Amino acid sequence: MSKALLLSMIQKLDTAEIAENKKERRERLIKEMRKIVDIVRDKQLKEGRSLNFLVCDLVDVADHAIDLFTQKMTFRGAFASIGSWMGEIKKQMLKMGDDDEFNMRSLENVDDDEDDKYVVGLDKDLEMLLSKRIIGGKQYLSTVLIKGMSGIGKTTLAREIYNHASVSHHFDTRAWVSSSTYFTMKELLIKLIQQLEDPQNLHTSSLLEEMDNRSLRYMLHQHLQGKRYLIVLDDLPKQMCFKSFREALPEEDNGSRLLLTSHTTHVDIHVYPEEVYKMNTLDPKKSWQLFLKTINHGNKLIGEHKFPMKLEHMGKQMLRKCGGLPLAIKEVGKQLVEKKISGESEWEQLLESVDFGSTLKLLEPFYHQLDPEVQPCFLCMAFFKENTTLRHEKLIKIWVTGGVVQASEYECGRYLENLVNESVIDVNDKGTKYRMNVVLHMLSVQKAEEEFSLEILRNNGNNRPSESPRHHRVIICSRDKFNYSTDQDKHLVSLFFHGGGYLDTSPSYWKSFEQLKILDLEDFGLKFLPESICTLMELRYLGLRNNYIKELPDSLGCLEKLEVLDIAQNFMVEVPNIIWELCSLRHLYLSDVICRNFEIDAVWNLVTLTYVSIDDLTCALSGLRLHFRFKKLGIKELDGNSDVSKLFVSLAELKKLDHLILRGYRFRCMPCLDELGILESVRTLKLDGLLARLPRTFPPKLGSLTLVNSCLDEDPMPLLGELRWLKYLKLRNAYTGQQMVILDDSFPNLMVLCIEELWNLRNVCRDHGMHQLRKLEIHDCPYLDTLAEMTEGMYHLRELNMVTTKSIAAKIKNSHFISKIATVSINPMS
C-alpha cells in the first residue's frame, strides 16, 4: 500500500505541467522519491504506524512541491525546505526495522514540570510578551518565535505564558505540543486534534491514524474555525515543512496566536523581526538566585547543610563557568544537592571540583542537529579561549587557510550566518565580531578532542603531546618560560598559543612541524619572532596581533605559501622589504609599522590591507590600480595636505572595494572628503579623526557608517539622515553640540544607532524619522535624559543599552516608556 501510494505521487509529479526552469528540480525530487521507494522495498518495512506516518508526510512534501512547481514565483528557500524535510523522512526510514514500531509519545503535561517551578529572571520577558505579542499586538493571526540556545529557558518561558491566568481567560482554546528531533507532521496534527476536540466527540487514535494529512488539516481547521486560539509548538524541528501546517490554521482577525520555541529560525516560517524574541543568558545576580533556589529545592538542605554564605564569592566564581545558562546552573545545583555535605570544607571542595559532564551530555544533541558542513566550524571554536570575542575575518581565514572547512570564503561566511541562526554564537550589530557561550565552548572542546584530532596542552610539565598523531594543538602557557617537547609532530596542521610567556625555542622545534598551516600567537605577549620561522614552508596563516614585537625577521620572506599575515597592534614594528616578495599573500593587517620600502605593487594578490599611509598607497595605486583586487582598505595619516582627490579617483577604479577606513594623522584635521560619493562600491565606511565638517556626499549604497573622534561643531544628523540605505550608524566623540535633530522621514532604513562620548549632548529632537530602529545604544552621554521623547513612535525598537550617570540611570529605569522595549540594560558610569 505504501509503495503504491509513493509510486502514484511520483507519477503525479512527473505529469504535472511546470515551467521549463523548474524541470531539473522536479527530476531531482523524483529521483529522491524513487530512492525512498527502494528503501521501502529493500527493507521490507511493515505496513505499520511508523511507515504510515512517514509516507503521509512524504505525500505532503510531494503535494507542496507540485504547488511550488506550478507557481510563477517561488520564495527563497522553499525548495531547500522541501529537500530538508524529505531528507529527514529518508533518514527515519533508513533507521526503521521490521520490529521498529512508531510509539506515539504521550501528550506533555505543561502544568507539572519540576524544574519550571524554580524560575528566575523571566518576569520582564513574560510581561513584555504577554502585553505586546500574545494578548496585545496585532489582531490577525501572527507567529511569535522564542529563540535561543539549548538550555536557555525557551520552554520555561513558553510554559509561563501558556499557564498564565490572563492567557487562559483571553483565548477560547489552547493546545501545546512538544516535538523532538524525530517527529512527523501527521503526529503533530493528531496531537493537536486530540487536545482541541470536544471530549464528548473524541475520535479514537486509530481512526485519526487512518486519515491522511490533508484530512487531518481540514479537521484541525474546523476545530479552530471561529475561535481565538493559542497553539504552542515547543522545540519545532527545523526540517519540518512548516508551510503545509500553517494551511490548517484559520486566518481570522481575532488575535489568534502561534507560539514557537526553537534554537533556529526556520527557512519557511515567515516571522517579522519584531515577532522574534531572542532570549539572553542570566546576569550574575539572577544566576546566583537560580543557584540558591536549586540547591535549596524542596527544603532538602536545611540547617548546617545549607549553603554557607561565607563561600558566596567562591560560589559566584564557580557560576561564571555556567555562562548564565539556566540548564548548566540547575545541573550544577542538582549535583551539589545529591552530595551529603557536613560543613564548609566539603562545600569548598565540591565547588572546586564541579563536573559539567551531565550538562554537556544534555547539550550534545544540539551539536548533532547542526548541518554536517557546519559541524567543523563548531569544532573550530575549541581553538580559541573561552569568552573570547572573535573577529569575522579571523574565523573565516583560519577555516579556509587551514583546510579545516572545505569551502570558499563566501561559503564560510554563510556557515557563520548559520551558526548565528542556530544560536551557537552571538554576533554584534555590525556582523563583525562573535562570541560563544562558555558552556557551548566546553562542548566544542570535548567534541573536538573526540572527533577533530585536537589536543590541549598546558605548559606546567604535567602533560605531553599525545602518542597518536594529532592535527590541531592548543598550548596554554603560564607567564613562565615556555617549555616545549622535542617530539616530532609531522601531522600537525594548526598550532595555537594562549596565555603568555617567552617563546624561547630552538630551530629544531619549528622543523618538526612539516605540515603546519596555521600558527596563531595573538595576545600571547611575544617579544620577538625567531628566524627559524622560515622552516614552516607550508604555513598559510600567521597571527601575531597584539604582541610586543619590534621587528620581523628577514626569514619571513621564505614563507612562499603565506596567505594571511596579521601584525596589527604591535607598536612600531619594523617590517623588512622581503615581505613584498610574498606572492601568495592575500590579507595583510598592519597598524604602527616601519617599512623600509613600500612596494605593494609586487603583492598584486592582496584583498585586504590595513593600515597603510595615504602617501604610500597613492604612489602604489598610480598607474597600477587595475591590477589590485582590494575589498578592504585601511588608510592612515590623512591631514589637510593630503591629496584625497587623486586617491578617490584611484579607489573608484577598484570595483570590489567594499570596506574603507580613513584615519587622520594624530591631532590634525582631516582634509575635505566631499568626493567620497564617487566610491560606488563601498558599503562600509569608518572615518576616524577630526573633521571640519561632514562630506557633502557619501557612497550611494552605504550601509554602515562609523564616525570616531570627528568632534563636529555642526549637527550631523540632518545630512546623515539622507543616506537611504544606511542600517548601522555609530557616533563616538563625533559631535560637540548640545542638540541633535532627526528630521521627518530621515534614516528610513536605520536599524542600529550607537552614540558614545557625546559629552555635551542634552537633547535629541525627533519628528517621525528613524522609524525602523531596532536597537539603540547610548554610552557616556552624561546630560542626555530625554529618551522618552526621542523613542516615541519607535514601534520596532526592541533593545536599549545605556551607560550613564546614576541619576539619569535611575530616572530612565523608572520611566514608563521602557516597558515597551523587550531588552533594556541601563547601568551607571564607572
Side-chain angles (χ1 to χ4, degrees):
M1 178 68 180
S2 296
K3 189 167 68 172
L5 186 58
L6 292 175
L7 291 172
S8 173
M9 287 307 303
I10 290 173
Q11 184 178 6
K12 186 177 178 181
L13 271 170
D14 195 32
T15 56
E17 294 184 5
I18 65 172
E20 188 69 30
N21 63 345
K22 295 180 180 179
K23 287 185 176 180
E24 185 179 347
R25 289 182 183 273
R26 178 177 64 179
E27 292 306 314
R28 290 203 298 266
L29 183 62
I30 290 175
K31 183 178 179 181
E32 284 301 306
M33 291 194 70
R34 290 192 184 280
K35 289 181 180 178
I36 293 176
V37 172
D38 291 340
I39 293 172
V40 174
R41 183 187 65 247
D42 295 344
K43 291 177 70 70
Q44 298 181 349
L45 299 177
K46 286 184 178 180
E47 292 289 342
R49 180 184 296 169
S50 304
L51 188 59
N52 171 267
F53 279 24
L54 292 173
V55 169
C56 283
D57 274 20
L58 196 58
V59 170
D60 245 6
V61 170
D63 279 334
H64 183 39
I66 291 173
D67 289 341
L68 291 176
F69 286 141
T70 56
Q71 294 174 8
K72 290 184 178 179
M73 299 291 291
T74 304
F75 68 86
R76 182 184 177 188
F79 289 111
S81 176
I82 286 177
S84 177
W85 190 227
M86 179 175 285
E88 186 62 29
I89 294 170
K90 181 179 175 182
K91 184 194 302 182
Q92 292 192 47
M93 283 189 171
L94 285 169
K95 289 186 176 182
M96 288 174 60
D98 291 342
D99 299 325
D100 180 32
E101 273 297 303
F102 190 90
N103 295 316
M104 290 285 288
R105 287 171 284 275
S106 60
L107 296 176
E108 297 289 333
N109 185 346
V110 300
D111 298 308
D112 186 23
D113 188 294
E114 195 71 14
D115 283 349
D116 290 345
K117 292 179 180 179
Y118 301 93
V119 177
V120 169
L122 294 182
D123 293 344
K124 191 176 187 310
D125 307 78
L126 180 62
E127 180 185 355
M128 198 286 303
L129 281 169
L130 287 174
S131 61
K132 300 301 175 185
R133 303 288 185 267
I134 305 300
I135 295 176
K138 303 175 177 65
Q139 282 303 301
Y140 59 80
L141 172 63
S142 63
T143 302
V144 180
L145 173 63
I146 300 177
K147 184 174 180 288
M149 65 177 286
S150 291
I152 204 167
K154 302 184 294 297
T155 300
T156 303
L157 178 56
R159 288 181 189 277
E160 292 285 304
I161 293 170
Y162 188 86
N163 293 322
H164 200 274
S166 62
V167 169
S168 59
H169 181 266
H170 180 75
F171 292 97
D172 300 323
T173 187
R174 297 174 297 152
W176 172 296
V177 176
S178 292
S179 60
S180 65
T181 304
Y182 303 107
F183 190 83
T184 66
M185 179 70 70
K186 185 165 184 173
E187 183 184 9
L188 170 61
L189 294 169
I190 290 174
K191 283 191 171 186
L192 286 173
I193 291 170
Q194 288 178 326
Q195 290 187 67
L196 296 170
E197 268 200 320
D198 186 336
Q200 297 180 351
N201 189 33
L202 188 66
H203 287 77
T204 63
S205 295
S206 58
L207 180 60
L208 293 175
E209 290 170 20
E210 291 175 3
M211 300 170 67
D212 61 18
N213 286 14
R214 189 184 295 272
S215 301
L216 290 170
R217 279 197 296 272
Y218 177 77
M219 182 180 288
L220 178 59
H221 191 280
Q222 292 298 105
H223 282 309
L224 297 174
Q225 189 78 43
K227 298 176 183 177
R228 180 192 292 152
Y229 56 86
L230 169 67
I231 292 179
V232 180
L233 303 182
D234 181 37
D235 194 22
L236 186 70
K238 67 180 180 180
Q239 299 90 350
M240 183 172 287
C241 188
F242 186 76
K243 185 177 181 295
S244 62
F245 170 73
R246 185 67 184 253
E247 293 171 359
L249 306 181
E251 297 279 354
E252 298 177 317
D253 294 337
N254 61 1
S256 293
R257 297 290 182 263
L258 178 60
L259 178 61
L260 311 176
T261 73
S262 180
H263 59 81
T264 187
T265 304
H266 297 250
V267 174
D268 59 346
I269 298 181
H270 296 290
V271 184
Y272 293 105
E274 60 268 24
E275 305 295 352
V276 177
Y277 191 81
K278 184 177 181 299
M279 291 196 68
N280 296 311
T281 52
L282 300 178
D283 62 28
K285 181 179 179 181
K286 292 187 175 75
S287 295
W288 183 247
Q289 291 173 359
L290 180 59
F291 174 70
L292 290 181
K293 279 191 173 185
T294 304
I295 64 173
N296 292 300
H297 166 59
N299 293 320
K300 291 178 182 177
L301 297 174
I302 56 176
E304 65 191 55
H305 299 294
K306 195 171 182 179
F307 187 83
M309 289 300 101
K310 290 182 181 179
L311 297 180
E312 180 175 338
H313 176 73
M314 186 177 179
K316 289 180 177 179
Q317 288 293 108
M318 180 274 298
L319 279 186
R320 291 177 62 183
K321 299 178 182 178
C322 296
L325 189 67
L327 173 69
I329 296 169
K330 290 178 181 180
E331 284 297 309
V332 166
K334 290 176 184 176
Q335 185 181 142
L336 298 178
V337 166
E338 290 171 357
K339 307 291 183 180
K340 294 182 179 180
I341 306 168
S342 59
E344 285 186 17
S345 60
E346 291 190 21
W347 272 112
E348 190 170 350
Q349 291 175 10
L350 284 172
L351 290 174
E352 289 177 345
S353 59
V354 164
D355 180 19
F356 286 88
S358 61
T359 302
L360 299 184
K361 188 173 182 179
L362 290 171
L363 288 175
E364 192 165 334
F366 181 65
Y367 162 70
H368 291 297
Q369 290 172 24
L370 295 175
D371 294 335
E373 66 269 18
V374 176
Q375 287 181 349
C377 302
F378 175 83
L379 300 179
C380 286
M381 301 302 288
F383 297 161
F384 310 103
K385 292 183 290 187
E386 65 179 31
N387 262 332
T388 298
T389 299
L390 296 166
R391 300 181 305 281
H392 176 279
E393 294 172 322
K394 180 171 182 175
L395 283 171
I396 296 291
K397 304 303 182 293
I398 283 178
W399 291 350
V400 174
T401 57
V404 291
V405 177
Q406 300 298 323
S408 65
E409 289 193 14
Y410 173 77
E411 289 172 315
C412 286
R414 288 196 297 105
Y415 295 165
L416 260 179
E417 292 177 6
N418 194 320
L419 288 177
V420 173
N421 185 51
E422 295 276 359
S423 303
V424 175
I425 54 178
D426 290 320
V427 62
N428 69 350
D429 300 309
K430 293 179 69 177
T432 57
K433 294 182 180 179
Y434 302 85
R435 183 188 292 269
M436 175 182 269
N437 182 274
V438 293
V439 181
L440 275 186
H441 184 267
M442 288 185 208
L443 181 62
S444 73
V445 170
Q446 182 187 84
K447 302 308 294 182
E449 289 178 330
E450 293 173 359
E451 303 178 10
F452 211 47
S453 189
L454 169 71
E455 67 176 358
I456 298 178
L457 303 179
R458 298 183 181 275
N459 183 35
N460 55 16
N462 295 330
N463 52 25
R464 294 174 62 83
S466 171
E467 293 182 2
S468 60
R470 293 287 175 169
H471 295 139
H472 311 286
R473 180 179 296 164
V474 173
I475 298 177
I476 301 175
C477 300
S478 65
R479 289 290 173 183
D480 299 327
K481 185 176 179 179
F482 171 64
N483 296 317
Y484 59 90
S485 170
T486 57
D487 294 345
Q488 300 291 312
D489 202 331
K490 299 179 180 180
H491 301 279
L492 208 64
V493 173
S494 61
L495 179 60
F496 293 79
F497 285 86
H498 297 164
Y502 300 102
L503 198 63
D504 184 13
T505 56
S506 69
S508 62
Y509 177 73
W510 299 109
K511 288 180 180 178
S512 65
F513 304 120
E514 295 180 3
Q515 301 299 319
L516 195 68
K517 294 181 179 179
I518 298 173
L519 176 59
D520 187 41
L521 291 144
E522 184 171 335
D523 301 325
F524 186 67
L526 193 65
K527 293 187 176 180
F528 70 94
L529 194 66
E531 288 280 349
S532 51
I533 198 77
C534 64
T535 60
L536 304 178
M537 300 302 295
E538 295 296 319
L539 200 66
R540 264 79 164 173
Y541 179 100
L542 179 56
L544 303 171
R545 180 179 292 240
N546 195 28
N547 281 289
Y548 304 103
I549 301 172
K550 297 295 184 183
E551 182 179 6
L552 295 182
D554 288 340
S555 62
L556 198 69
C558 298
L559 305 181
E560 297 179 354
K561 296 184 179 180
L562 192 67
E563 298 176 23
V564 182
L565 175 59
D566 189 348
I567 195 66
Q569 299 179 24
N570 283 268
F571 183 67
M572 300 308 291
V573 59
E574 189 170 346
V575 178
N577 293 343
I578 203 75
I579 194 174
W580 309 116
E581 296 182 12
L582 298 174
C583 58
S584 297
L585 198 62
R586 299 185 72 244
H587 305 279
L588 178 58
Y589 301 92
L590 309 171
S591 50
D592 297 317
V593 301
I594 303 171
C595 293
R596 301 168 193 165
N597 288 296
F598 192 82
E599 301 175 3
I600 189 178
D601 52 298
V603 195
W604 60 276
N605 274 322
L606 275 179
V607 173
T608 305
L609 176 60
T610 62
Y611 284 89
V612 59
S613 75
I614 182 173
D615 293 334
D616 288 339
L617 184 63
T618 303
C619 180
L621 290 173
S622 178
L624 294 168
R625 55 182 174 272
L626 295 179
H627 294 290
F628 291 105
R629 306 174 182 179
F630 290 122
K631 292 183 179 179
K632 179 177 180 179
L633 267 176
I635 307 171
K636 63 178 183 177
E637 298 178 2
L638 278 73
D639 63 15
N641 298 320
S642 301
D643 186 357
V644 291
S645 297
K646 184 178 179 182
L647 173 68
F648 290 163
V649 169
S650 296
L651 294 183
E653 297 293 328
L654 303 176
K655 301 303 181 183
K656 294 185 178 180
L657 183 62
D658 174 79
H659 191 159
L660 178 63
I661 307 169
L662 301 178
R663 178 181 290 177
Y665 184 69
R666 297 183 180 177
F667 300 106
R668 300 178 189 176
C669 191
M670 294 175 70
C672 174
L673 303 175
D674 285 345
E675 296 173 69
L676 272 171
I678 68 173
L679 306 181
E680 296 184 357
S681 62
V682 171
R683 301 292 189 275
T684 301
L685 176 65
K686 179 178 180 180
L687 304 179
D688 183 354
L690 289 171
L691 290 173
R693 60 173 175 80
L694 280 179
R696 299 195 187 280
T697 65
F698 283 90
K701 294 184 180 180
L702 193 65
S704 174
L705 174 63
T706 302
L707 299 180
V708 178
N709 298 323
S710 305
C711 298
L712 294 162
D713 296 327
E714 185 179 355
D715 181 7
M717 303 309 268
L719 179 57
L720 297 181
E722 297 177 5
L723 302 177
R724 312 305 292 176
W725 301 105
L726 196 65
K727 293 185 177 181
Y728 175 92
L729 175 62
K730 181 175 182 178
L731 306 174
R732 191 179 80 200
N733 190 27
Y735 174 52
T736 60
Q738 298 184 9
Q739 178 172 288
M740 281 182 172
V741 178
I742 300 172
L743 301 175
D744 189 17
D745 294 329
S746 63
F747 298 103
N749 290 296
L750 192 70
M751 301 183 71
V752 179
L753 173 63
C754 304
I755 54 177
E756 301 178 4
E757 300 176 22
L758 303 188
W759 304 107
N760 300 321
L761 186 64
R762 297 174 180 272
N763 187 32
V764 178
C765 299
R766 175 179 162 270
D767 196 349
H768 292 89
M770 210 177 282
H771 58 275
Q772 293 291 336
L773 198 70
R774 302 293 200 273
K775 181 174 182 179
L776 176 62
E777 289 195 358
I778 301 173
H779 292 180
D780 300 327
C781 301
Y783 298 109
L784 181 61
D785 63 352
T786 57
L787 291 192
E789 296 82 355
M790 177 184 175
T791 59
E792 185 177 358
M794 287 185 176
Y795 301 113
H796 299 290
L797 187 63
R798 293 182 292 166
E799 185 172 353
L800 169 65
N801 294 327
M802 194 170 185
V803 176
T804 184
T805 62
K806 290 183 179 180
S807 59
I808 293 179
K811 176 182 176 180
I812 300 298
K813 285 180 179 179
N814 294 325
S815 300
H816 175 69
F817 82 95
I818 65 171
S819 63
K820 303 176 183 179
I821 306 172
T823 304
V824 177
S825 175
I826 303 175
N827 298 298
M829 297 165 61
S830 56

